Short mmCIF file of all heavy atoms in Angstrom, two decimals:
data_model
loop_
_atom_site.label_atom_id
_atom_site.label_comp_id
_atom_site.label_asym_id
_atom_site.label_seq_id
_atom_site.Cartn_x
_atom_site.Cartn_y
_atom_site.Cartn_z
N SER A 903 23.57 -24.42 19.46
CA SER A 903 22.39 -23.57 19.71
C SER A 903 21.47 -24.16 20.76
O SER A 903 21.16 -25.35 20.72
CB SER A 903 21.61 -23.41 18.40
OG SER A 903 20.28 -23.02 18.66
N SER A 904 21.08 -23.31 21.69
CA SER A 904 20.06 -23.77 22.65
C SER A 904 18.78 -22.97 22.44
O SER A 904 18.19 -22.44 23.36
CB SER A 904 20.57 -23.64 24.08
OG SER A 904 21.41 -22.52 24.20
N GLY A 905 18.39 -22.83 21.17
CA GLY A 905 17.17 -22.08 20.86
C GLY A 905 17.51 -20.62 20.63
O GLY A 905 18.64 -20.26 20.34
N LYS A 906 16.48 -19.77 20.73
CA LYS A 906 16.71 -18.35 20.43
C LYS A 906 17.72 -17.73 21.41
O LYS A 906 17.61 -17.90 22.62
CB LYS A 906 15.39 -17.58 20.49
CG LYS A 906 15.51 -16.19 19.90
CD LYS A 906 14.35 -15.31 20.35
CE LYS A 906 14.51 -13.88 19.85
NZ LYS A 906 13.82 -12.94 20.74
N ALA A 907 18.67 -17.01 20.89
CA ALA A 907 19.79 -16.53 21.70
C ALA A 907 19.50 -15.19 22.38
O ALA A 907 20.23 -14.80 23.29
CB ALA A 907 21.03 -16.39 20.82
N HIS A 908 18.45 -14.51 21.95
CA HIS A 908 18.25 -13.15 22.47
C HIS A 908 16.98 -13.03 23.29
O HIS A 908 16.02 -13.77 23.05
CB HIS A 908 18.22 -12.15 21.31
CG HIS A 908 19.36 -12.31 20.37
ND1 HIS A 908 19.26 -13.02 19.20
CD2 HIS A 908 20.64 -11.90 20.46
CE1 HIS A 908 20.43 -13.04 18.59
NE2 HIS A 908 21.29 -12.36 19.34
N LEU A 909 16.99 -12.07 24.19
CA LEU A 909 15.79 -11.83 25.00
C LEU A 909 14.69 -11.24 24.13
O LEU A 909 14.94 -10.62 23.10
CB LEU A 909 16.12 -10.86 26.13
CG LEU A 909 16.94 -11.45 27.29
CD1 LEU A 909 17.37 -10.33 28.25
CD2 LEU A 909 16.13 -12.50 28.06
N LYS A 910 13.47 -11.41 24.63
CA LYS A 910 12.29 -10.87 23.96
C LYS A 910 12.34 -9.34 23.99
O LYS A 910 12.72 -8.74 24.99
CB LYS A 910 11.09 -11.37 24.76
CG LYS A 910 9.73 -11.00 24.28
CD LYS A 910 8.72 -11.55 25.33
CE LYS A 910 7.30 -11.17 24.97
NZ LYS A 910 6.81 -11.93 23.82
N LYS A 911 11.92 -8.73 22.90
CA LYS A 911 11.82 -7.26 22.86
C LYS A 911 10.68 -6.80 23.76
O LYS A 911 9.63 -7.45 23.82
CB LYS A 911 11.52 -6.86 21.40
CG LYS A 911 11.46 -5.36 21.15
CD LYS A 911 10.88 -5.06 19.77
CE LYS A 911 11.87 -5.25 18.65
NZ LYS A 911 11.30 -4.91 17.31
N ASP A 912 10.89 -5.68 24.43
CA ASP A 912 9.82 -5.15 25.28
C ASP A 912 9.03 -4.10 24.50
O ASP A 912 9.22 -2.90 24.64
CB ASP A 912 10.43 -4.54 26.55
CG ASP A 912 9.36 -3.99 27.50
OD1 ASP A 912 8.16 -4.12 27.19
OD2 ASP A 912 9.74 -3.44 28.54
N LEU A 913 8.12 -4.59 23.66
CA LEU A 913 7.38 -3.68 22.78
C LEU A 913 6.46 -2.76 23.57
O LEU A 913 6.27 -1.59 23.22
CB LEU A 913 6.57 -4.48 21.75
CG LEU A 913 5.69 -3.62 20.84
CD1 LEU A 913 6.55 -2.74 19.93
CD2 LEU A 913 4.76 -4.47 20.01
N THR A 914 5.87 -3.31 24.65
CA THR A 914 4.91 -2.49 25.40
C THR A 914 5.59 -1.21 25.89
O THR A 914 5.00 -0.12 25.82
CB THR A 914 4.31 -3.30 26.56
OG1 THR A 914 3.83 -4.54 26.02
CG2 THR A 914 3.16 -2.58 27.22
N SER A 915 6.85 -1.33 26.35
CA SER A 915 7.57 -0.12 26.80
C SER A 915 7.80 0.85 25.65
O SER A 915 7.75 2.06 25.83
CB SER A 915 8.92 -0.50 27.41
OG SER A 915 8.72 -1.17 28.61
N ILE A 916 8.07 0.29 24.49
CA ILE A 916 8.26 1.17 23.32
C ILE A 916 6.97 1.96 23.06
O ILE A 916 7.00 3.15 22.78
CB ILE A 916 8.64 0.34 22.07
CG1 ILE A 916 10.00 -0.34 22.28
CG2 ILE A 916 8.66 1.21 20.81
CD1 ILE A 916 10.40 -1.29 21.16
N MET A 917 5.85 1.28 23.20
CA MET A 917 4.59 1.98 22.96
C MET A 917 4.30 2.99 24.07
O MET A 917 3.77 4.07 23.81
CB MET A 917 3.43 0.97 22.81
CG MET A 917 3.58 0.02 21.63
SD MET A 917 4.30 0.75 20.14
CE MET A 917 3.02 1.88 19.68
N VAL A 918 4.70 2.66 25.31
CA VAL A 918 4.55 3.62 26.40
C VAL A 918 5.33 4.90 26.06
O VAL A 918 4.88 6.01 26.31
CB VAL A 918 5.02 3.02 27.74
CG1 VAL A 918 5.09 4.08 28.83
CG2 VAL A 918 4.09 1.88 28.16
N SER A 919 6.51 4.72 25.46
CA SER A 919 7.34 5.87 25.10
C SER A 919 6.67 6.79 24.09
O SER A 919 7.12 7.91 23.88
CB SER A 919 8.67 5.40 24.52
OG SER A 919 9.37 4.64 25.47
#
Side-chain angles (χ1 to χ4, degrees):
Chain A
S903 160
S904 34
K906 193 198 176 207
H908 310 98
L909 285 172
K910 181 184 178 72
K911 183 192 281 182
D912 182 2
L913 177 66
T914 309
S915 291
I916 296 174
M917 298 323 293
V918 170
S919 299

